[in-house]
Amino acid sequence: MYRQVEDFLNDWTIAAEGTVQVLKAMTDDTLDQCIVEGHNSLAWLGWHLVGAAGYFSYLAGLTVPMIRQEDPVPTTAAEIVATYEKIANSIKEEAAKLSNEGLLEEVNSFKGPISKGALLRAMIDHQTHHRGQMTVLLRQAGLPVPGVLGPTKEMQ
């Protein structure tokens, strides 16, 4: 849980940069890569990160661009990357307007009442979880895996 806005902003900057690295590693011809038939694809996971960042932010009271649930998954990696970058930058700008006291305020989430600071932590954790799934799919597709939190096996 965040109690200091500066702590969230520092973590969000690192997390968003890592997510951009993973999204930029996708190629248009690998967007359909799934671990097995019928599971989430690279494109779906990337677009889910776009939508989830907007939704978590909305629940936390931040005014950021949001995609609609019915919006189709883009057919190009570049569109997913550009939309994510726009939302990630908006989150940083909007969160900078929060106060430390505001992080303690309770808001309603999909699981019930939660403090804004805890919700923002959950947003980063959720993003990290799906970003990890994406790195497996990148490797399966034969694409280079970026060293988000340190070097990958290929970088050693």
Side-chain angles (χ1 to χ4, degrees), residues 5-155:
V5 173
E6 184 178 349
D7 292 340
F8 168 73
L9 292 172
N10 289 336
D11 284 356
W12 178 250
T13 298
I14 293 165
E17 288 171 359
T19 299
V20 168
Q21 288 178 20
V22 170
L23 293 173
K24 285 184 174 181
M26 299 185 304
T27 62
D28 291 349
D29 59 335
T30 60
L31 291 178
D32 291 333
Q33 179 69 41
C34 300
I35 192 137
V36 293
E37 183 76 28
H39 283 247
N40 296 330
S41 67
L42 270 174
W44 186 91
L45 286 165
W47 198 237
H48 175 65
L49 290 178
V50 170
Y55 185 62
F56 274 87
S57 298
Y58 163 77
L59 292 174
L62 305 180
T63 305
V64 301
M66 288 181 57
I67 61 169
R68 298 171 306 154
Q69 193 169 11
E70 62 270 13
D71 288 346
V73 176
T75 57
T76 67
E79 185 178 347
I80 295 169
V81 171
T83 308
Y84 177 83
E85 287 178 319
K86 181 179 178 182
I87 290 174
N89 289 331
S90 293
I91 290 170
K92 194 171 181 178
E93 291 170 7
E94 286 293 307
K97 299 174 187 175
L98 291 172
S99 67
N100 293 336
E101 297 78 26
L103 292 175
L104 302 176
E105 290 175 21
E106 282 204 350
V107 294
N108 289 320
S109 77
F110 42 90
K111 288 187 172 183
I114 188 171
S115 70
K116 285 183 184 182
L119 184 63
L120 292 173
R121 179 72 248 168
M123 177 176 70
I124 290 178
D125 292 344
H126 176 262
Q127 177 175 254
T128 302
H129 162 72
H130 288 303
R131 191 174 66 209
Q133 291 176 318
M134 293 180 74
T135 62
V136 171
L137 297 180
L138 290 171
R139 184 162 279 124
Q140 258 189 339
L143 297 172
V145 175
V148 175
L149 294 174
T152 63
K153 182 169 180 56
E154 296 81 8
M155 294 173 169

